[in-house]
Amino acid sequence: MKKLHSEKDTEIEIPREENCGTCKGSGAKPGTKVENCSHCHGTGQLNVEQNTAFGRIVNRRACHHCQGTGKIIPNKCSTCGGDGKVQKRKKIQVKVPAGIDDGQQLRVTGQGEPGINGGPAGDLYVVFHVRSHEFFERDGDDIYCEMPVTFAQAALGDEIEVPTLHGKVKLKIPAGTQTSTRFRLKGKGVPNVRGYGQGDQHVVVLVVTPKKLTEKQKDLLREFSEISGQGVDEQDDGFFSKVKRAFKDR
Ligand SMILES: [Zn+2]
Ligand SMILES: [Zn+2]
């Protein structure tokens, strides 16, 4: 994921059929010839006659002497065994475009399988699978992440460092930030694969309640709770007031 912000060269290995170098793809031992099949006269097909209850039926079938190719190779090439093709693993360089997403494909001209009878090679299509990341989540060109902050940071405000695809970025958390508040880091997402600008990174701030507290911390929180016992309602006309009104209604 981190590699997505810039175009990158990568080497991939692909299995590929290539014309046999020994026989130049003919399948015949060098110096010998490929002959027409005498059973099907080079057509590759045989007529098979059958007498059935409905009368005589003529079926055309692939010639089993030449496997339907119409050709017989009396002296087979020892390198490819008469196939004319050999399996090779080939390493090719592929440019991974910045911003490529899962399932998108890239065409590499002329790197596909060779054509029939020495024709030009086809194109290779590389389909990308983007591995998911434990911290970043991607939605189109936008990136989402969750950042934990302490209750004190959320209440007093702070500046936190957020990892992005473009390096660390400072984010100001205003005093009184509620959990699940979303902040936007403009232009810190994925570059559009077609070159239409750049996505944003959305940071969801999660206020984490501490699980382990020392006696001193507990005492301070008890004191805090005591002091703010009345103050909460006056400061906050939202959530807490709603809860309080719900009790009064009964
Ligand atoms: Zn034949
Ligand atoms: Zn060969």
Side-chain angles (χ1 to χ4, degrees), residues 37-42 44-45 63-68 70-72:
C37 174
S38 58
H39 298 271
C40 61
H41 308 289
Q45 288 181 324
C63 172
H64 61 274
H65 298 280
C66 60
Q67 274 81 43
K71 309 272 184 220
I72 292 284

Side-chain angles (χ1 to χ4, degrees), residues 20-244:
C20 172
T22 310
C23 62
K24 306 275 184 294
S26 74
K29 199 171 191 167
T32 71
K33 277 189 176 166
V34 178
E35 292 169 9
N36 276 347
C37 174
S38 58
H39 298 271
C40 61
H41 308 289
T43 62
Q45 288 181 324
L46 287 177
N47 291 337
V48 183
E49 293 180 8
Q50 266 181 306
N51 289 311
T52 71
F54 308 104
R56 182 179 281 190
I57 293 175
V58 179
N59 267 327
R60 293 205 113 183
R61 283 199 194 147
C63 172
H64 61 274
H65 298 280
C66 60
Q67 274 81 43
T69 61
K71 309 272 184 220
I72 292 284
I73 304 166
N75 297 293
K76 287 181 178 165
C77 166
S78 54
T79 307
C80 61
D83 290 337
K85 308 242 193 245
V86 283
Q87 277 284 348
K88 280 200 176 143
R89 293 193 73 81
K90 202 188 174 196
K91 284 180 180 167
I92 60 161
Q93 291 286 327
V94 174
K95 267 198 196 314
V96 182
I100 195 96
D101 206 351
D102 207 42
Q104 286 180 331
Q105 59 182 25
L106 177 79
R107 188 172 73 166
V108 189
T109 312
Q111 291 290 355
E113 301 275 332
I116 296 162
N117 296 327
D123 296 336
L124 171 75
Y125 285 87
V126 181
V127 180
F128 289 90
H129 290 288
V130 179
R131 211 178 299 148
S132 61
H133 194 277
E134 63 166 343
F135 182 73
F136 298 113
E137 207 170 295
R138 183 174 173 183
D139 181 18
D141 296 336
D142 285 353
I143 295 288
Y144 287 81
C145 76
E146 291 178 338
M147 283 296 291
V149 295
T150 65
F151 161 70
Q153 282 176 303
L156 303 171
D158 199 5
E159 196 175 66
I160 60 169
E161 272 192 338
V162 180
T164 77
L165 301 179
H166 313 265
K168 285 180 199 163
V169 167
K170 285 196 159 70
L171 175 67
K172 235 184 159 65
I173 305 290
T177 292
Q178 303 297 315
T179 194
S180 300
T181 303
R182 204 162 89 179
F183 297 92
R184 186 167 71 135
L185 298 170
K186 207 171 173 347
K188 295 298 177 190
V190 181
N192 186 274
V193 74
R194 286 177 196 87
Y196 300 133
Q198 190 128 334
D200 303 325
Q201 179 162 331
H202 303 273
V203 183
V204 179
V205 164
L206 297 177
V207 180
V208 179
T209 307
K211 281 179 182 162
K212 278 180 188 167
L213 293 170
T214 63
E215 273 313 307
K216 193 178 177 194
Q217 285 172 319
K218 281 182 194 170
D219 281 345
L220 284 169
L221 278 176
R222 283 184 197 112
E223 201 185 325
F224 170 82
S225 185
E226 230 167 88
I227 300 165
S228 51
Q230 297 288 308
V232 171
D233 278 354
E234 286 157 23
Q235 280 174 25
D236 191 300
D237 196 33
F239 194 58
F240 289 104
S241 313
K242 254 185 252 168
V243 176
K244 209 175 175 189

Side-chain angles (χ1 to χ4, degrees), residues 5-20:
H5 65 284
S6 62
E7 193 173 73
K8 190 179 182 294
D9 265 332
T10 191
E11 195 178 64
I12 59 169
E13 209 182 58
I14 50 162
R16 216 171 67 156
E17 270 201 338
E18 281 185 8
N19 280 335
C20 172

